[in-house]
Amino acid sequence: MKPKQNITHLPVYQPGKPVEDVKRELGLSEVIKLASNENPYGCSEEAKAAITAELSNTSIYPDGASVALTQDVAAKLGVKPEQLIFGAGSDEVILMLARAYIVAGDETIMADETFPQYKHNAEIENAVVIEVPLREGKHDLEAMLARVTDKTKIVWICNPNNPTGTIVTHDEVADFLRRVPDSVLVVLDEAYCEYIDDAAYPDGLSLLASHPNLVLLRTFSKIYGLASLRIGYGVGHPDVIRSINQVREPFNTTRFAQTAARAALADEAFITMCRESNTKGIRYLAGEFERLGLSYFPAYGNFIMFDAQHPSQQVFDGLLRRGIIARARWSYYPTHIRITVGSQEQNEKFIAALEEVLQELAVQV
């Protein structure tokens, strides 16, 4: 038996290396994972309580339409319930968008170094993937617009961009939307938006009213700390959401995910704490990189990408031996490392390990 020919070359997604694997392989008692942009502060205690209370319903199928969660998120965002669709992480919403809108031969546009699931799902649908180089780590919206043709089906904008952490501004996105054809779906991935307190950051929700070809992606995996439960969502025009919903699998999000997301959404104090702590962490890491003479991209999410000035795999391996799991091997940034902003203690241990690695590599040179 043979699979579809267009998927045989596709790489399998490689997540950050698991902590237990590193402990076992290297004989370490303490390992800090700063590779997957997880929340170092866990999740809301209210969410934990909601999960515990839901244990008695383990044998019961979840609400396939996520009605209660839809109502809560709609009220929180000021949108209509029919503008929302939920998935097993925003990853699944990306999959559903590709499944609903892309047919073989369609073109889709994205940055050349961005979240890989856009390209992965487009290639599964046999689309022509057009990758536009980042400009100083940012999406080059003007260049992306220039690549739009009558075959373009979806344009993907990751904001903040993963892995660089940079943003395009509200004015830049608004101008792009005014000029892109109405027949092109624009997906604005805002997975890290809750971390940002910057007036220049796009108000994606305000753009939805005048742009029915816009879809926003958000998730409970990052600042809400529910990554293991896999719950994310898309926001868009009701007609677009209806089309996506037609390819959604039944019961695609669990009872635990839905109830935890509702509780997490209501715990604003926890979100504020996480945002403020993350901001302090970015300032600390940026200051340390400057002290070490290392350049970095402006960080807007809960991660920061810096130039280690050595092949990234060498730096990754050196950090790993010291119990720090980072992220490396970016196609267009061969000497860069992406690091999640951890707790202050984790950040300090990372910097200490990084200094040792850089000193070790300097001696080898």
Side-chain angles (χ1 to χ4, degrees):
M1 295 186 293
K2 294 183 178 180
K4 294 193 298 184
Q5 186 175 358
N6 63 294
I7 72 163
T8 56
H9 72 288
L10 296 183
V12 176
Y13 182 77
Q14 297 296 323
K17 200 169 179 66
V19 169
E20 292 307 317
D21 286 0
V22 175
K23 285 183 176 179
R24 183 179 62 255
E25 292 170 8
L26 298 180
L28 298 172
S29 59
E30 180 186 20
V31 172
I32 299 171
K33 184 184 177 187
L34 299 175
S36 299
N37 303 339
E38 295 152 329
N39 190 334
Y41 306 103
C43 70
S44 162
E45 291 299 320
E46 299 299 321
K48 293 178 184 178
I51 294 168
T52 301
E54 193 63 37
L55 287 171
S56 60
N57 293 321
T58 300
S59 63
I60 303 172
Y61 280 111
D63 172 11
S66 304
V67 172
L69 178 57
T70 297
Q71 294 288 345
D72 287 356
V73 173
K76 180 83 170 182
L77 301 184
V79 299
K80 298 176 182 177
E82 56 267 31
Q83 289 183 263
L84 293 165
I85 186 162
F86 289 85
S90 55
D91 308 55
E92 191 191 21
V93 184
I94 293 168
L95 180 153
M96 290 188 286
L97 280 160
R99 179 184 287 182
Y101 281 93
I102 294 176
V103 297
D106 281 345
E107 294 179 355
T108 183
I109 300 172
M110 63 197 68
D112 64 359
E113 194 75 83
T114 192
F115 188 51
Q117 293 307 99
Y118 312 142
K119 182 177 182 179
H120 181 79
N121 284 289
E123 289 190 328
I124 289 173
E125 303 301 331
N126 218 4
V128 177
V129 175
I130 296 171
E131 296 176 282
V132 177
L134 295 170
R135 187 174 182 180
E136 298 180 351
K138 287 180 54 177
H139 281 70
D140 189 342
L141 295 184
E142 196 66 31
M144 294 175 81
L145 190 63
R147 300 299 301 273
V148 173
T149 71
D150 58 2
K151 293 183 179 180
T152 305
K153 189 61 68 73
I154 301 179
V155 176
W156 308 87
I157 303 172
C158 189
N159 203 39
N161 185 45
N162 182 3
T164 57
T166 56
I167 65 166
V168 286
T169 68
H170 183 90
D171 290 345
E172 290 169 333
V173 173
D175 179 64
F176 181 86
L177 288 168
R178 281 193 296 267
R179 298 161 64 194
V180 76
D182 293 341
S183 59
V184 175
L185 191 66
V186 177
V187 179
L188 188 60
D189 190 339
E190 301 180 327
Y192 301 91
C193 66
E194 293 90 356
Y195 281 107
I196 302 173
D197 185 15
D198 189 312
Y201 186 70
D203 181 0
L205 291 168
S206 72
L207 296 169
L208 285 172
S210 53
H211 299 285
N213 59 328
L214 175 65
V215 173
L216 310 179
L217 298 180
R218 296 191 175 183
T219 183
F220 285 92
S221 295
K222 302 306 179 183
I223 202 168
Y224 291 99
L226 301 179
S228 69
L229 296 184
R230 312 309 303 125
I231 184 84
Y233 60 98
V235 194
H237 189 278
D239 291 345
V240 174
I241 298 302
R242 186 179 306 110
S243 296
I244 303 170
N245 210 16
Q246 287 176 306
V247 301
R248 179 180 61 80
E249 297 297 325
F251 312 121
N252 64 320
T253 62
T254 69
R255 299 186 68 95
F256 299 109
Q258 291 177 30
T259 192
R262 293 184 67 198
L265 193 71
D267 192 348
E268 295 183 2
F270 177 78
I271 300 306
T272 298
M273 182 276 290
C274 292
R275 182 188 304 112
E276 292 175 350
S277 299
N278 184 73
T279 299
K280 292 177 182 177
I282 289 175
R283 289 174 183 158
Y284 168 77
L285 291 172
E288 291 299 293
F289 293 146
E290 290 169 8
R291 178 178 65 83
L292 295 170
L294 305 176
S295 62
Y296 58 92
F297 290 114
Y300 288 88
N302 69 335
F303 57 95
I304 186 167
M305 191 178 190
F306 68 97
D307 186 352
Q309 301 177 357
H310 295 276
S312 63
Q313 189 62 43
Q314 293 181 11
V315 179
F316 173 89
D317 290 340
L319 289 171
L320 196 66
R321 290 194 300 271
R322 292 163 174 82
I324 304 293
I325 308 175
R327 202 66 181 265
R329 301 182 69 180
W330 310 103
S331 298
Y332 297 93
Y333 299 100
T335 61
H336 282 65
I337 295 286
R338 190 195 71 190
I339 198 79
T340 303
V341 179
S343 65
Q344 185 60 25
E345 180 183 4
Q346 291 173 333
N347 294 335
E348 290 175 1
K349 288 183 177 181
F350 157 67
I351 291 296
L354 177 64
E355 285 194 83
E356 290 182 6
V357 172
L358 295 179
Q359 290 169 4
E360 181 181 89
L361 292 174
V363 170
Q364 293 176 8
V365 173

